[in-house]
Amino acid sequence: MSTPVISSREADVLALLGEHLSNAEIAARLFISVRTVESHVSSLLRKLAVPDRRALSRRAAEFAPVEMAAPVLPAPLTAFVGRVRERGELAEAVKKHRQVTAVGPGGVGKTRLALAVAAELAGEFADGVWFVDLAPVTDPGRVGAAVAAALGVGEQPGRGIDDSVFAVLADRQALLVWDNCEQIRDGVAPFLERLLAACPGVRVLVTSRARLMVPFERVFPVPPLSRAGGGDSEAVELFLERSAAVGLSWDPSVRDTVVALCERLDGMALAIELAAARCPTLGLDGLVAGLSDQLRILAGGPRAADRHRSVRAVLDWSHDLLEPADRALLRRVSVFVVPFTAEAAAELAGFAPLDPGAVADGLGRLAEQSLLTVVPSASGTRYRALETIRQYGAERLDEAGESEAVRSRHVQWCLDRAAGLLDTGGADWRARFDAVAEDLRAALAWAAEQSRLRADAYRLALSLAESAFTRNLPGESQQRYEQAAALAGADADAGESLRLAAAVAGCRRLGDDMYRLHRAAAEAARRAGDLAGAGHDLAAAATVAYRFSSEFTRIPAVEETMALLEEARKLSGAGGLGPGPDLGDVRAPDPGRASGSGSDSAAGLGDVPASGPDPDPASDPGPGLGGAPAPAPAPAPSAAVALAEAAVLADAFGAVQGATDNTVEETIALAERAVALAHRAGDPVAESAALDALSGARSWAGDSFGAADAARRRIDLLTPLPPTPARTHELLDALAMASGTALGAGGLAEARRWGRQLAGHPLLAEAGHHATSWLLVADAFAGRGGEVLTGSGRFLDAWERGGRQQSFSLGPAAASVAMVHGLRGDRAARAEWLGTVDRAGTAEEYRHGYGAILDAMVLLHDGDAAEALDRLAPEPEQVWKWVTWIWLHWYVALRAEASVLAGHPAARARTAAARSLVAGNPVATAHVDRADALLDGDLPRLLATAKAFEAAGSRYQAARSLLLAGDEHAAAGAAALAEWGLVR
């Protein structure tokens, strides 16, 4: 078995664990936060596959602190020559200044110098040296995305890619090398300024033909290669080294000639390399004669300008020596912005005077002259031009009058590549996308400016949007869908693109953008004359404002949303409640009257009647709904309006801005009507959204089983569908709801299954806190402490990198980790995680809802039944708002058990009430059975609960039943707990 790879910092933490230090002591010793220690401990538990920190302590001796891996920098194909003085000076500049710009003309050798310095300084930066090639980037707005790609950083939900980069680098000590910044200085400068402000440990070395003009910039002019020393100069050394690489060796007698040549070339590295590449065919004499004639034309002028001209002169001379077909090939392939294959070059450049079949040979000849570089890749040989040569080729393309023709062919080539990406999958899909993505972006940028290619630009934007979404680049996907909407020739197409953009914004947890884009889609539908469609989009905007209210930075005013709903009704022709209905006073159902365990128990508890779907929901407004039937409304808009009514008027989703002035009957009726209409419309995604409303309504009714059933139906609807943005957004939400509601109904296996699916979804790869939240809760309730601690590292790291967000699911997840630490007897770690709960959740939810349940579990584990009962003291009706969703059964069952163990006089009445309420929940029922067995001193029944818990997947509670049974049973229970790293 291979040895796990652990970082230097993890090795430090592991060594101190071997000394049996606490997390706080380790943090003080290493000068890091306690939370960071916790994250490292969790990572070590996972990597070393051990159950607890005791086992980690035993493994400590096997590992010594290791050095970080060497930075991954581009490996030049040729040796670096000279520059001893410049290397030292530039390295010192980088050490002293946070941002240094290596400035010089094209071809002077900026990139090679920067790479050499970065390699020398790698050991100075604990978190490595990272290279970012900005040459292919044509959009100034994509600087952050290019940096993220180089760092391997994905987008965090709720924030843009720039902010994700800043979060990852916030506490890192790293050097970033940004190459070829001149063409997008307008994007580099503002991003760089924000980066330096947000990431104090990061330094940036930039190469550019001009300074960036940003604060803190230290400019380092890169001079030509030194010609001092005559035949021993750096310039001559480079010429001799490069000519030797092509098989030439020189007699010492020619050194003076080489010195003169290098002097005429101003020591420009690229000019010298291109000249050396010509030596095998021209010889030194022919080289000197040809270049002398070319350079003589450029005599005079400022010396700095001469340096530009010397490279241009060599390029002109090299170009003029090419055969006409090779000249055409060089200028045409300059359109490619990333390495390209011979097949791609033939497709793009293979028209008169070029024969497509001769393109491959032409590429070889250009490579021999150093005008192209051969780039090996996993998919075969590729070619690329240095940025200076590519820009030269673009100029020649313009001069030849071929720019429009070749770039148009490039657009068509990109359209074909984009279509091929969408039509085929495979394990190499991601690599194939990355190989062409910058070309797609460049072609789109050019085509968008050509009026005659507007339709092609629209198609390319759509293709790029879809591919970017599949590639887990949701930020770019949304941007491209919005760009497609702006390029669309028809308003109907614009509206569809905007709806897709809204769905991607949903995946990104950007409520404001979802709301804005649905409203923009409505305006596009109006312009297209589709009034029903406009009503559909306005209803969707109103629903978003309530359903995803926690994802807004500015929640729309209630009056604004009501106005949208009213307008949606008018435009769609859908029947509805009418404005401002009197929905009555809120009534908390009586927890003493339980619903059955079947999935059709819609009303749940109290005096709320069950309510089935309307027999004719499209024409009948539904029970208690006012207004006349609408004349044959379209099914989809009607369904959208019905869902908006459930969201806005009845607050089925429990919105931040929602008012509690609706009855449970009304909420369920509206949600069921929305489900029926969406089903009639044949839209599974819309039906899933309506089922989410129904799940919420049944939760409010106290019907845990109905809520779980509605959530489970969403998974069944969505699983067979293709992974469109709308389906993906809905599925992510459905998995979370299915896991949570299954837990509420006692389905631990289901809760873990849905939780695992959510944790493994690729779109949440960079959002480990959202990905793992429900799996952590489910594992904690199942007693899988080791899995919880292993997953907690990913959760904590992602939550901190994600800006320490607050969410209804993040608080319970953090509290679940705290509970496991409590069961393990690690008070310090429990306190740390409870601090996380304070910031990840809300105080009232923790105090009255999930926190009371999880805290009570720890207190009962510690034998403090009185304190546990105090934590659960309020009657269920008093905390109804916080426990009805998924915590109700757990609350009343644990409250009954704590009452028995604490000797409360109402213990028997509480167990009786709890039994009626939790009927059908296997775990909660086992809790109540255990309480009754303890109350009656019934040992066989008590032991039977251990088997019931085991069968329900709650192994911790099974062991606890054995502990409570005493004698030899207690020993078996204690052994089981010890095996899982838990303590009595």
Side-chain angles (χ1 to χ4, degrees):
M1 181 180 295
S2 60
T3 302
V5 177
I6 64 175
S7 70
S8 175
R9 181 59 81 191
E10 287 171 343
D12 291 337
V13 171
L14 184 58
L16 295 177
L17 285 171
E19 298 178 22
H20 306 289
L21 299 185
S22 69
N23 288 350
E25 290 169 327
I26 294 173
R29 184 81 66 88
L30 298 179
F31 301 99
I32 57 178
S33 71
V34 174
R35 292 190 187 86
T36 301
V37 175
E38 178 67 30
S39 178
H40 287 314
V41 170
S42 298
S43 177
L44 287 165
L45 288 168
R46 181 182 67 255
K47 289 182 177 181
L48 301 183
V50 295
D52 52 39
R53 60 192 293 140
R54 291 187 183 86
L56 281 179
S57 298
R58 291 192 293 270
R59 296 289 302 274
E62 301 175 24
F63 292 86
V66 297
E67 297 297 325
M68 288 188 63
V72 178
L73 294 170
L77 299 178
T78 56
F80 184 77
V81 175
R83 300 283 196 186
V84 176
R85 179 181 60 82
E86 291 93 333
R87 287 165 72 172
E89 291 178 355
L90 182 55
E92 284 303 311
V94 171
K95 292 177 183 178
K96 293 179 180 178
H97 305 281
R98 294 197 55 211
Q99 194 273 309
V100 179
T101 304
V103 174
V108 77
K110 301 182 296 294
T111 299
R112 293 297 299 271
L113 176 61
L115 286 173
V117 169
E120 290 178 3
L121 293 178
E124 304 282 336
F125 296 91
D127 295 301
V129 180
W130 304 87
F131 181 80
V132 184
D133 184 8
L134 293 173
V137 181
T138 56
D139 180 356
R142 288 196 52 77
V143 172
V147 176
L151 295 172
V153 173
E155 187 176 330
Q156 291 268 354
R159 57 172 51 186
I161 193 65
D162 290 8
D163 290 330
S164 295
V165 170
F166 302 151
V168 167
L169 293 176
D171 58 354
R172 302 296 179 93
Q173 303 291 323
L175 172 63
L176 308 183
V177 181
W178 295 359
D179 196 31
N180 294 301
C181 293
E182 57 273 351
Q183 83 282 5
I184 48 169
R185 282 196 302 164
D186 290 345
V188 169
F191 180 82
L192 177 59
E193 189 165 357
R194 293 174 62 203
L195 174 71
L196 293 174
C199 310
V202 170
R203 294 172 185 257
V204 182
L205 172 57
V206 165
T207 74
S208 176
R209 297 188 183 188
R211 60 179 303 181
L212 301 178
M213 306 296 292
V214 294
F216 316 117
E217 180 181 31
R218 177 76 172 191
V219 176
F220 183 88
V222 178
L225 286 167
S226 170
R227 280 91 72 206
D232 296 323
S233 69
E234 292 178 345
V236 170
E237 183 184 356
L238 177 64
F239 180 88
L240 295 176
E241 197 279 335
R242 296 297 186 261
S243 57
V246 294
L248 297 178
S249 60
W250 302 104
D251 187 274
S253 62
V254 304
R255 287 233 171 192
D256 289 344
T257 304
V258 175
V259 169
L261 178 63
C262 291
E263 185 63 41
R264 296 299 301 272
L265 293 176
D266 294 307
M268 297 295 285
L270 177 59
I272 292 171
E273 292 186 339
L274 291 173
R278 280 290 181 180
C279 279
T281 55
L282 296 177
L284 188 58
D285 292 342
L287 182 65
V288 171
L291 281 175
S292 294
D293 289 341
Q294 189 71 27
L295 291 165
R296 191 175 298 115
I297 299 172
L298 300 174
R303 192 61 179 167
D306 280 352
R307 290 170 186 161
H308 288 277
R309 292 178 178 184
S310 63
V311 173
R312 177 59 185 246
V314 175
L315 286 171
D316 284 342
W317 175 74
S318 295
H319 176 269
D320 292 344
L321 290 175
L322 297 173
E323 294 296 325
D326 289 350
R327 294 179 197 171
L329 181 58
L330 179 64
R331 64 178 179 260
R332 291 173 184 177
V333 298
S334 69
V335 173
F336 289 112
V337 296
V338 293
F340 55 89
T341 64
E343 292 77 11
E347 190 173 341
L348 181 71
F351 62 95
L354 278 177
D355 177 0
V359 166
D361 288 340
L363 293 173
R365 289 190 294 273
L366 293 175
E368 289 172 1
Q369 307 306 324
S370 294
L371 293 168
L372 293 179
T373 301
V374 178
V375 182
S377 73
S379 58
T381 299
R382 292 177 177 268
Y383 300 85
R384 73 173 302 173
L386 294 176
E387 184 63 14
T388 299
I389 295 174
R390 197 174 73 81
Q391 292 175 9
Y392 176 84
E395 292 176 11
R396 286 292 188 171
L397 194 65
D398 289 337
E399 292 170 5
E402 293 183 341
S403 183
E404 185 169 347
V406 174
R407 292 188 184 280
S408 295
R409 290 173 72 96
H410 185 236
V411 170
Q412 189 58 53
W413 180 84
C414 287
L415 281 168
D416 292 343
R417 298 291 84 69
L421 285 171
L422 298 176
D423 292 342
T424 59
D428 64 339
W429 188 93
R430 177 172 179 160
R432 288 187 288 114
F433 172 83
D434 290 345
V436 299
E438 287 297 349
D439 270 303
L440 301 184
R441 292 162 184 145
L444 174 57
W446 182 80
E449 299 298 323
Q450 314 301 312
S451 58
R452 67 179 183 82
L453 295 179
R454 190 178 183 90
D456 286 338
Y458 165 72
R459 289 167 52 212
L460 189 52
L462 277 181
S463 295
L464 187 52
E466 185 174 347
S467 292
F469 185 78
T470 304
R471 178 61 176 79
N472 277 358
L473 300 173
E476 181 176 9
S477 178
Q478 181 183 332
Q479 174 195 354
R480 300 306 178 189
Y481 277 127
E482 293 193 51
Q483 186 177 13
L487 291 167
D491 288 321
D493 291 335
E496 181 57 27
S497 296
L498 289 166
R499 292 179 200 107
L500 288 165
V504 178
C507 295
R508 301 176 66 203
R509 296 177 177 267
L510 299 177
D512 305 79
D513 277 6
M514 291 183 72
Y515 183 73
R516 168 182 62 82
L517 290 164
H518 277 302
R519 296 190 68 175
E523 290 306 308
R526 282 182 197 265
R527 294 194 301 270
D530 181 7
L531 297 186
H536 185 290
D537 290 319
L538 289 177
T543 299
V544 163
Y546 276 70
R547 186 182 180 196
F548 302 108
S549 59
S550 64
E551 297 174 8
F552 278 72
T553 56
R554 186 198 71 82
I555 299 175
V558 172
E559 296 77 13
E560 179 182 319
T561 314
M562 286 291 294
L564 287 183
L565 175 56
E566 185 60 29
E567 183 69 9
R569 287 169 169 166
K570 293 176 182 177
L571 291 172
S572 65
L577 288 170
D582 181 8
L583 299 178
D585 297 327
V586 73
R587 284 174 288 157
D590 178 5
R593 299 176 58 189
S595 66
S597 61
S599 62
D600 293 328
S601 55
L605 306 178
D607 56 357
V608 183
S611 174
D614 296 333
D616 186 8
S619 58
D620 184 351
L625 308 182
S638 296
V641 169
L643 181 58
E645 289 174 341
V648 177
L649 302 180
D651 192 25
F653 299 108
V656 173
Q657 73 274 33
T660 57
D661 59 354
N662 61 298
T663 63
V664 173
E665 300 99 313
E666 191 68 53
T667 307
I668 292 176
L670 287 171
E672 289 184 329
R673 181 170 184 267
V675 172
L677 285 168
H679 182 75
R680 171 172 291 190
D683 185 345
V685 172
E687 189 174 351
S688 170
L691 283 168
D692 191 28
L694 181 58
S695 183
R698 286 180 168 170
S699 293
W700 175 243
D703 177 13
S704 299
F705 304 106
D709 177 68
R712 186 167 52 247
R713 287 165 60 190
R714 296 176 67 193
I715 305 291
D716 295 338
L717 279 171
L718 297 168
T719 298
L721 301 181
T724 63
R727 179 265 193 183
T728 300
H729 179 216
E730 197 65 35
L731 181 62
L732 290 174
D733 183 76
L735 288 170
M737 295 304 99
S739 182
T741 55
L743 178 71
L748 295 180
E750 274 193 320
R752 295 187 69 245
R753 180 166 73 252
W754 305 136
R756 281 197 302 271
Q757 288 190 28
L758 184 67
H761 197 285
L763 200 64
L764 297 180
E766 297 294 327
H769 47 321
H770 292 294
T772 62
S773 57
W774 285 113
L775 183 58
L776 288 173
V777 177
D779 277 340
F781 275 85
R784 297 177 175 271
E787 287 92 333
V788 172
L789 294 187
T790 298
S792 67
R794 179 184 176 193
F795 175 93
L796 185 64
D797 180 61
W799 178 70
E800 290 184 334
R801 286 191 293 108
R804 300 185 177 183
Q805 297 168 323
Q806 190 177 71
S807 166
F808 76 95
S809 63
L810 299 181
S816 295
V817 179
M819 181 196 76
V820 170
H821 282 299
L823 299 181
R824 294 165 62 86
D826 191 338
R827 295 180 179 275
R830 173 170 167 77
E832 293 164 17
W833 275 93
L834 289 177
T836 300
V837 173
D838 288 342
R839 293 181 293 279
T842 64
E844 287 187 317
E845 284 179 314
Y846 175 74
R847 177 61 192 164
H848 302 299
Y850 63 84
I853 295 161
L854 294 166
D855 288 352
M857 285 187 179
V858 175
L859 291 166
L860 289 172
H861 177 86
D862 292 340
D864 196 344
E867 187 67 25
L869 182 59
D870 183 64
R871 193 70 179 85
L872 299 165
E875 295 292 332
E877 295 91 336
Q878 295 177 277
V879 291
W880 197 259
K881 176 180 179 181
W882 295 280
V883 298
T884 47
W885 180 47
I886 65 172
W887 309 113
L888 180 61
H889 289 186
W890 297 98
Y891 187 90
V892 297
L894 282 168
R895 187 169 185 264
E897 184 173 322
S899 298
V900 170
L901 291 171
H904 193 280
R908 192 170 295 279
R910 289 179 176 180
T911 58
R915 180 173 302 284
S916 175
L917 179 62
V918 304
N921 182 324
V923 185
T925 296
H927 272 288
V928 177
D929 285 345
R930 187 165 68 192
D932 273 342
L934 290 169
L935 192 61
D936 296 337
D938 188 340
L939 180 61
R941 190 177 181 189
L942 180 58
L943 292 174
T945 66
K947 295 180 179 179
F949 279 121
E950 193 70 44
S954 182
R955 63 182 191 178
Y956 164 72
Q957 294 297 347
R960 179 165 159 73
S961 287
L962 295 177
L963 284 173
L964 291 170
D967 298 331
E968 71 274 11
H969 308 297
L977 293 180
E979 181 181 349
W980 304 329
L982 307 181
V983 296
R984 291 187 62 182

